[in-house]
Amino acid sequence: MINFETSPERYKHWRLEIDGAVATLSMDVQEDETLADGYKLKLNSYDLGVDIELADAVQRLRFEHPEVRVVVIRSLKPRIFCAGANIYMLGSSSHAFKVNFCKFTNETRCSIEDASQNSGQRYVAALNGTASGGGYELAIACDEIYLVDDGNSAVSLPEVPLLGVLPGTGGLTRLVDKRKVRRDRADVFSTLAEGLKAKRAREWGLIDGSFPTSKFDEGVAARVRELVESAAVKKEGPGIKLNPLEVEATDAGREYKYVSLRYNREGRYADLTVRGPESDLPTTPAEIHALGDRYWPLRAYRELDDALLHLRVNELEIGLVCLRTEGDIENVLAADRALAASRGHWLVREITLHMARVLRRLDMTAKSFFALVEPGSCFAGNLLELLLASDRSYMLNDPDQAVELAVSELNAGALPMSNGLTRLQSRFLATPEKADEVLAHEGRFDTERAEDFGLVTFAPDDLDWEDEIRVAIEERTSLSPDALTGMEASLRFAGPETLDTKIYGRLTAWQNWIFQRPNAVGPQGALTNYGKPTQPQFDYKRT
Amino acid sequence: MINFETSPERYKHWRLEIDGAVATLSMDVQEDETLADGYKLKLNSYDLGVDIELADAVQRLRFEHPEVRVVVIRSLKPRIFCAGANIYMLGSSSHAFKVNFCKFTNETRCSIEDASQNSGQRYVAALNGTASGGGYELAIACDEIYLVDDGNSAVSLPEVPLLGVLPGTGGLTRLVDKRKVRRDRADVFSTLAEGLKAKRAREWGLIDGSFPTSKFDEGVAARVRELVESAAVKKEGPGIKLNPLEVEATDAGREYKYVSLRYNREGRYADLTVRGPESDLPTTPAEIHALGDRYWPLRAYRELDDALLHLRVNELEIGLVCLRTEGDIENVLAADRALAASRGHWLVREITLHMARVLRRLDMTAKSFFALVEPGSCFAGNLLELLLASDRSYMLNDPDQAVELAVSELNAGALPMSNGLTRLQSRFLATPEKADEVLAHEGRFDTERAEDFGLVTFAPDDLDWEDEIRVAIEERTSLSPDALTGMEASLRFAGPETLDTKIYGRLTAWQNWIFQRPNAVGPQGALTNYGKPTQPQFDYKRT
């Protein structure tokens, strides 16, 4: 079972150092510290274990070191920055694992960009040696890239020419959409196994600058100082500690303080319940800060994030998640009021941004989600987003057991989807005024009102409820899991597309296709034959 | 070999009738008139042959019947409108054919929307019976959909529940992005094999209206009259005839009047040359009309379109197309001046819109394109788009043999890509002002200027030219064809996304993935087992 929790003192592959406003994340991958057997992590190549540490570091920098304004990513290996995802790991992984691995590494790189855009922590990739494949894709997720000009070091995306797969961690999209490299140059670069050295890499916009070996550290440091000095906010904090989650993991599920995950493996679905906050939540930033990672909005969403990752990677056959909430609607709304009232405070901002990232992780999860609104539930404000993120929702219609929904300020833009829309906007694309009407509505939505406003899919009465839910679950879990993944990826992201949605939708879908093709993964495929004396044999039919 | 040319008198599956401003396209698929063996086209299901006729009809309506303001699509079969793509045809087709089939049918449906948006020919789907799968996807490409309310007829997308694949002809994207159906309702609809009948289909926005059986023809006719009366332009024409292309097809290639296509099958590339117009091209709409389909811009692009379709479907192993032009730059620019000067004339507009569609067909073709700019070439104006659409370009740099490029008004917006950008805008995303500078430049671009302005990728001198081109071709054709397809799909469409690009990028990529998955096409897959007494067996791992 893969565990997604770690912390700097347990890192095997990274070293995190803080010096005032500057953090340095040094990559020093230990060859033998792999997540699975059968490969060695040479040349700073990575597997999921390496990326889990990176994701942790990016997250901790935001909560534990808010004073940091610039993060430098560099390598402790001589003459190599990072060789990308380990090929032998990819070659020996199942299709499902490859896809999940790529999704997680994509989310980590998007979290770097989120930290830059929303938390003012700028990332500088200091390439003290060659960055190839996923190594360059890590660099291109940073704000600025500097490459040593030693006559040898290069940036490259050798996936297409050497491996017959795509640079699938956002590289192609970021080349043309983020760095806006001319498409014919991107074509040349992406088919050139050896890549480009500093001079041409700079001319073509692949890097931001270069320094000779003797001036490299100094040149990067000078640029980092400029970035620190130009930062809009000089110092925030002090940070709060992110302690390990307390979870009771059994074969039947995972029990956290606010989240319960229970597997029904035979039925191929899971029940995921989020419990709302207590009534005594703090309301001022100082109180919230004092509570730290025990504060409900942070703790509950960290637990939800962990549960989602476990479902994805460790429970492959579970295809459907039934989402429930339990608690007092008023307590959820009180939490949202506190978050909205102090949105200018760094910690409150970080907590809200984290909630938004976890909800986006849910949007991107290749499982079906049904929200079930039952007595005692609290789908309100931030937790209403769970319902809006679901593929469909069922709300009990029983005059004797009233159930309600409610909106808060957080539904109006603080928790955006990766396409930039709120989930209410995404729901009411045909009638945008309805999203406003929902937000302007005074009071809660009982089942009738929820139906009238279009907030739920179905509202069975108490006589039908059990049967209808049971049949819906059975039907859903009987369908082709692949067709559902493709369908949900198409229906969840109506409306505008962004860099993120292009990476998760267009690029990832093509990569998943290629990851199935004999030309990549067949016995004579390029990925299979990499590093062997045999040559790949392609079926040259163009599709 | 599949032939893409047809005309109404040769249609087997459609009947085209014109009555003033109203055209009726009646679908009456002949079971046994299939493009391949092994299946029967029951219940108005279709194969590529049926769609080639539909594409031809849509095209001819624009050129031959410009007076038509409304096109009604209906079925001549009782109680069934159209059952979609034939499942047995799909089940027995190669992966490459399935992908090419879906791409062509997608282009046909986009051409319906193009006719509506740009030519004022509105499409009405008159569903006199059930429209399932591709049948409903055809309807949803129309402007309005009316369904008979007979207690039985329904609209449905049964692909996910019955076949384990996606509705891959734009259905999912058009549901949520064009008709803006609420995503949870789209989820329910897309997993409901039997679909929805008139009442709920209308409530959910899947159709625009319904009529009981006895009032159906009358109700549709009344709505069609309203649309005719509200049309901005009442009458245009008379039309021009689209005569069969004259082509000499041999095993070595295809020779048209203005286009030469020559296969180098051993090298897995083709040479595609477009010859520019003669010097005596007409300049007024009346003269252009008199020349009809012999007018260079129409004829050359019809030939190019046909050549591209042949390359896609009949020459699968050819992975690279070397694009050349031959002729006098001034003649191309003169043609563009005439087109730009009379852009308000219906025929000139249609000719330009057709050129734009053919260029988009090139953008969407899963082959690499290299533009080769050699002495005697005429990459100017509309033909410069061929170079800009290419994955890369090579321009000879030889003072003794000057070669030149040139721009015209047509490069400024008349020939947009499917993402809505011009190819110059797409090229200069990082520096939008450069697109304007290129357009504002007086005179032609010699090799040095073309390089300075960023118009070409490489400019080898005459000593290097042959070797460099040869090596570039060899390298390109040695790479994994699948990786190239995914790479080009990612690099060609930087910038904004539209309904069209989402269909061709996101939806199609997911469908291609699913079309490879054992759950669909394996021995126990749902597509393989459709209509057999055996049940599909899924590997339920969610990916």
Side-chain angles (χ1 to χ4, degrees):
Chain A
M1 198 177 69
I2 293 169
N3 169 34
F4 290 90
E5 279 209 279
T6 185
S7 56
E9 62 280 8
R10 290 154 61 198
Y11 290 172
K12 293 166 179 157
H13 309 292
W14 294 89
R15 191 187 303 169
L16 176 59
E17 290 156 309
I18 315 284
D19 180 11
V22 179
T24 303
L25 249 175
S26 302
M27 192 176 201
D28 189 14
V29 176
Q30 301 306 298
E31 279 187 22
D32 296 318
E33 296 283 358
T34 60
L35 211 57
D37 294 333
Y39 57 91
K40 280 179 182 287
L41 294 172
K42 294 192 178 176
L43 299 174
N44 265 359
S45 63
Y46 57 83
D47 66 0
L48 183 59
V50 178
D51 219 67
I52 287 172
E53 293 183 2
L54 174 61
D56 181 78
V58 174
Q59 178 97 305
R60 273 177 207 282
L61 280 165
R62 301 172 79 162
F63 282 102
E64 301 190 353
H65 305 285
E67 74 281 8
V68 164
R69 297 272 71 85
V70 179
V71 183
V72 180
I73 299 190
R74 61 165 191 167
S75 152
L76 295 184
K77 302 263 192 272
R79 290 181 301 285
I80 182 84
F81 173 70
C82 166
N86 187 277
I87 311 307
Y88 304 100
M89 177 277 294
L90 282 178
S92 60
S93 296
S94 69
H95 180 68
F97 185 83
K98 279 201 278 287
V99 169
N100 268 315
F101 167 77
C102 287
K103 189 177 283 182
F104 184 85
T105 54
N106 268 318
E107 287 170 326
T108 304
R109 278 133 200 82
C110 287
S111 80
I112 288 175
E113 292 173 329
D114 187 61
S116 170
Q117 283 155 32
N118 296 311
S119 303
Q121 291 187 331
R122 311 279 288 169
Y123 277 73
V124 172
L127 312 185
N128 50 312
T130 287
S132 56
Y136 180 62
E137 290 181 292
L138 173 57
I140 206 175
C142 297
D143 295 284
E144 300 188 0
I145 308 172
Y146 297 92
L147 174 63
V148 65
D149 188 359
D150 59 4
N152 195 33
S153 293
V155 293
S156 67
L157 291 177
E159 285 87 344
V160 172
L162 289 190
L163 305 172
V165 300
L166 300 185
T169 320
L172 294 178
T173 306
R174 287 198 176 87
L175 263 189
V176 291
D177 269 302
K178 179 181 181 179
R179 295 193 71 94
K180 298 183 169 64
V181 172
R182 237 172 57 198
R183 51 167 284 203
D184 55 338
R185 288 175 164 172
D187 179 276
V188 173
F189 176 62
S190 308
T191 53
L192 201 64
E194 67 271 27
L196 294 178
K197 292 176 198 161
K199 182 165 176 290
R200 198 166 234 195
R202 185 163 187 184
E203 276 171 23
W204 285 18
L206 302 169
I207 61 171
D208 295 282
S210 63
F211 306 100
T213 311
S214 61
K215 302 266 172 72
F216 187 72
D217 291 344
E218 180 190 325
V220 170
R223 178 59 189 150
V224 167
R225 275 194 303 277
E226 281 175 19
L227 286 171
V228 168
E229 278 155 27
S230 67
V233 178
K234 292 299 172 201
K235 194 171 183 317
E236 289 181 316
I240 62 160
K241 178 99 176 89
L242 297 180
N243 294 291
L245 299 175
E246 288 156 32
V247 54
E248 191 188 336
T250 64
D251 189 54
R254 296 175 71 83
E255 284 294 326
Y256 307 81
K257 181 163 168 58
Y258 295 113
V259 171
S260 287
L261 174 62
R262 284 176 208 153
Y263 312 130
N264 186 322
R265 292 204 182 88
E266 200 163 325
R268 291 192 296 276
Y269 68 92
D271 290 305
L272 180 59
T273 303
V274 181
R275 286 179 285 279
E278 300 84 357
S279 61
D280 57 350
L281 241 53
T283 55
T284 69
E287 291 166 337
I288 291 171
H289 193 277
L291 207 53
D293 72 348
R294 288 167 297 155
Y295 181 48
W296 179 88
L298 180 52
R299 182 158 185 168
Y301 276 80
R302 283 182 73 208
E303 293 173 353
L304 177 58
D305 202 31
D306 194 62
L308 290 170
L309 289 170
H310 270 274
L311 275 170
R312 279 190 191 172
V313 173
N314 296 322
E315 299 294 333
L316 291 176
E317 291 220 347
I318 285 180
L320 168 66
V321 181
C322 295
L323 275 171
R324 291 182 182 81
T325 53
E326 280 176 18
D328 187 332
I329 285 182
E330 181 45 36
N331 293 347
V332 186
L333 295 177
D336 283 10
R337 276 195 299 274
L339 292 170
S342 301
R343 66 167 71 86
H345 186 268
W346 78 267
L347 177 57
V348 172
R349 188 189 65 222
E350 285 306 332
I351 290 170
T352 313
L353 289 167
H354 175 256
M355 295 163 85
R357 286 198 299 284
V358 175
L359 289 165
R360 289 199 291 272
R361 180 105 73 191
L362 194 158
D363 294 331
M364 292 296 175
T365 296
K367 314 254 185 211
S368 303
F369 289 90
F370 287 179
L372 303 180
V373 192
E374 297 170 324
S377 67
C378 57
F379 283 102
N382 70 78
L383 293 182
L384 181 66
E385 296 289 321
L386 295 178
L387 181 146
L388 298 171
S390 295
D391 297 297
R392 47 172 98 164
S393 52
Y394 295 80
M395 186 169 183
L396 180 67
N397 185 8
D398 178 1
D400 296 334
Q401 304 182 77
V403 285
E404 294 175 317
L405 308 176
V407 291
S408 80
E409 280 178 78
L410 293 200
N411 302 117
L415 306 168
M417 296 177 61
S418 54
N419 63 9
L421 299 183
T422 69
R423 286 180 190 78
L424 279 173
Q425 287 172 329
S426 180
R427 186 171 187 82
F428 297 115
L429 278 181
T431 50
E433 68 281 5
K434 280 202 181 173
D436 299 328
E437 286 166 21
V438 168
L439 288 170
H441 178 71
E442 305 252 337
R444 302 181 184 178
F445 300 84
D446 61 19
T447 303
E448 195 180 328
R449 276 206 202 92
E451 275 211 286
D452 285 351
F453 276 87
L455 286 171
V456 292
T457 320
F458 295 116
D461 63 27
D462 57 331
L463 287 176
D464 292 337
W465 178 264
E466 259 188 56
D467 273 355
E468 192 161 335
I469 303 299
R470 183 181 51 76
V471 169
I473 291 173
E474 283 174 10
E475 282 183 357
R476 189 65 160 208
T477 55
S478 74
L479 300 181
S480 159
D482 307 325
L484 287 175
T485 292
M487 183 189 88
E488 290 158 4
S490 298
L491 298 182
R492 288 180 186 172
F493 299 95
E497 299 252 356
T498 61
L499 187 75
D500 286 16
T501 63
K502 285 174 91 159
I503 290 170
Y504 291 111
R506 180 183 274 271
L507 179 62
T508 296
W510 282 112
Q511 179 77 311
N512 290 0
W513 175 69
I514 292 165
F515 273 163
Q516 279 281 296
R517 299 282 287 162
N519 283 336
V521 298
Q524 322 216 283
L527 195 59
T528 314
N529 279 273
Y530 182 76
K532 296 185 185 166
T534 45
Q535 287 291 307
Q537 301 287 326
F538 293 135
D539 173 351
Y540 277 107
K541 284 193 203 77
R542 259 284 201 148
T543 309
Chain B
M1 198 177 68
I2 294 170
N3 169 34
F4 290 89
E5 279 210 280
T6 185
S7 55
E9 63 280 8
R10 290 155 60 198
Y11 290 173
K12 293 164 181 159
H13 309 292
W14 294 89
R15 191 186 303 168
L16 176 59
E17 291 156 309
I18 315 283
D19 178 12
V22 179
T24 304
L25 248 175
S26 302
M27 191 175 200
D28 189 14
V29 175
Q30 301 304 299
E31 277 187 23
D32 296 318
E33 295 283 359
T34 60
L35 212 58
D37 293 333
Y39 57 91
K40 279 178 183 289
L41 294 172
K42 294 193 178 177
L43 299 173
N44 265 359
S45 63
Y46 56 83
D47 67 359
L48 183 59
V50 178
D51 219 68
I52 287 172
E53 293 183 4
L54 174 60
D56 181 78
V58 174
Q59 178 98 306
R60 275 179 205 279
L61 280 165
R62 301 173 78 162
F63 282 102
E64 301 190 353
H65 305 286
E67 74 281 7
V68 165
R69 297 272 71 86
V70 178
V71 183
V72 180
I73 300 192
R74 62 166 189 166
S75 151
L76 296 183
K77 301 264 193 272
R79 292 182 300 283
I80 182 85
F81 173 70
C82 167
N86 187 276
I87 311 306
Y88 304 102
M89 177 278 293
L90 283 178
S92 60
S93 295
S94 70
H95 180 70
F97 185 82
K98 277 201 280 288
V99 170
N100 268 314
F101 168 76
C102 286
K103 189 178 284 182
F104 184 85
T105 54
N106 268 318
E107 287 171 325
T108 304
R109 278 134 201 83
C110 287
S111 80
I112 287 175
E113 292 174 328
D114 186 60
S116 171
Q117 283 154 30
N118 297 312
S119 302
Q121 292 187 331
R122 310 280 287 170
Y123 277 72
V124 173
L127 312 185
N128 51 313
T130 287
S132 56
Y136 179 62
E137 289 181 293
L138 173 57
I140 206 174
C142 298
D143 295 284
E144 299 187 359
I145 308 173
Y146 297 93
L147 173 63
V148 67
D149 186 0
D150 59 4
N152 195 36
S153 293
V155 293
S156 68
L157 292 177
E159 285 86 346
V160 172
L162 289 189
L163 305 172
V165 301
L166 300 185
T169 320
L172 294 179
T173 306
R174 287 196 176 89
L175 263 190
V176 291
D177 269 301
K178 180 181 181 179
R179 295 193 72 94
K180 298 184 168 62
V181 172
R182 237 174 56 199
R183 51 166 284 206
D184 56 338
R185 289 175 164 172
D187 179 275
V188 173
F189 176 62
S190 307
T191 53
L192 201 63
E194 67 271 26
L196 295 177
K197 293 176 198 159
K199 182 166 175 288
R200 198 167 235 192
R202 185 163 186 184
E203 275 171 24
W204 285 19
L206 302 169
I207 62 172
D208 295 282
S210 63
F211 306 100
T213 312
S214 61
K215 303 264 174 72
F216 186 73
D217 290 346
E218 181 191 323
V220 170
R223 177 61 189 151
V224 166
R225 274 194 304 277
E226 281 176 19
L227 287 171
V228 168
E229 277 155 28
S230 67
V233 178
K234 292 297 173 200
K235 197 172 183 317
E236 290 181 315
I240 63 159
K241 179 99 177 90
L242 297 180
N243 294 290
L245 298 174
E246 288 158 31
V247 54
E248 191 188 336
T250 64
D251 188 55
R254 296 176 70 83
E255 283 293 327
Y256 307 81
K257 181 161 167 61
Y258 295 114
V259 171
S260 288
L261 174 62
R262 283 174 211 157
Y263 312 131
N264 185 321
R265 293 205 182 87
E266 200 163 326
R268 292 191 294 275
Y269 67 93
D271 290 303
L272 180 61
T273 303
V274 181
R275 287 179 284 278
E278 300 83 358
S279 61
D280 57 350
L281 240 53
T283 56
T284 70
E287 291 166 338
I288 290 170
H289 193 277
L291 207 54
D293 71 348
R294 289 167 295 157
Y295 181 48
W296 178 88
L298 180 51
R299 182 159 187 166
Y301 276 80
R302 284 182 72 207
E303 293 173 352
L304 177 58
D305 203 30
D306 194 62
L308 289 170
L309 289 170
H310 271 274
L311 274 170
R312 278 190 192 173
V313 173
N314 296 321
E315 299 294 336
L316 291 175
E317 291 220 346
I318 285 179
L320 168 67
V321 180
C322 295
L323 276 172
R324 292 182 181 79
T325 52
E326 280 175 20
D328 187 331
I329 284 181
E330 181 44 36
N331 293 348
V332 185
L333 295 177
D336 284 8
R337 277 197 299 275
L339 292 170
S342 301
R343 66 166 71 87
H345 186 268
W346 78 268
L347 177 57
V348 171
R349 187 189 64 223
E350 286 306 332
I351 290 170
T352 312
L353 288 167
H354 176 256
M355 296 162 85
R357 285 198 299 284
V358 175
L359 289 165
R360 289 199 290 272
R361 179 106 74 193
L362 194 157
D363 294 331
M364 292 295 175
T365 296
K367 315 254 185 210
S368 303
F369 289 90
F370 288 179
L372 303 179
V373 191
E374 297 169 325
S377 67
C378 56
F379 283 102
N382 71 78
L383 293 182
L384 181 66
E385 296 290 321
L386 295 178
L387 180 144
L388 297 172
S390 295
D391 297 296
R392 46 171 100 166
S393 53
Y394 294 82
M395 186 169 183
L396 180 66
N397 186 6
D398 178 1
D400 296 334
Q401 304 182 78
V403 283
E404 294 175 318
L405 308 177
V407 291
S408 81
E409 279 177 79
L410 292 201
N411 302 115
L415 306 169
M417 295 176 62
S418 53
N419 61 8
L421 300 183
T422 68
R423 288 181 189 77
L424 279 173
Q425 287 171 329
S426 180
R427 187 171 187 82
F428 297 116
L429 278 181
T431 50
E433 69 279 5
K434 279 203 182 172
D436 299 328
E437 286 167 22
V438 167
L439 288 170
H441 178 71
E442 305 253 337
R444 302 183 184 176
F445 300 85
D446 60 19
T447 302
E448 195 180 329
R449 275 206 202 94
E451 275 211 287
D452 286 349
F453 276 87
L455 287 171
V456 292
T457 320
F458 295 116
D461 64 27
D462 58 331
L463 287 176
D464 292 337
W465 179 263
E466 258 187 58
D467 273 354
E468 191 160 336
I469 303 299
R470 184 180 52 75
V471 169
I473 291 174
E474 283 174 9
E475 282 184 355
R476 188 66 159 206
T477 55
S478 74
L479 300 181
S480 158
D482 306 325
L484 287 175
T485 293
M487 182 190 88
E488 290 158 5
S490 298
L491 298 182
R492 288 179 186 172
F493 298 96
E497 299 253 354
T498 62
L499 187 75
D500 287 16
T501 63
K502 285 174 91 159
I503 290 171
Y504 291 112
R506 181 183 273 270
L507 179 62
T508 297
W510 282 112
Q511 178 77 310
N512 290 0
W513 175 68
I514 292 165
F515 274 163
Q516 280 281 298
R517 299 282 287 162
N519 283 336
V521 298
Q524 323 217 279
L527 195 60
T528 313
N529 279 273
Y530 182 75
K532 295 185 186 165
T534 46
Q535 287 291 309
Q537 301 288 326
F538 293 136
D539 173 351
Y540 278 106
K541 284 194 203 77
R542 260 284 201 147
T543 309

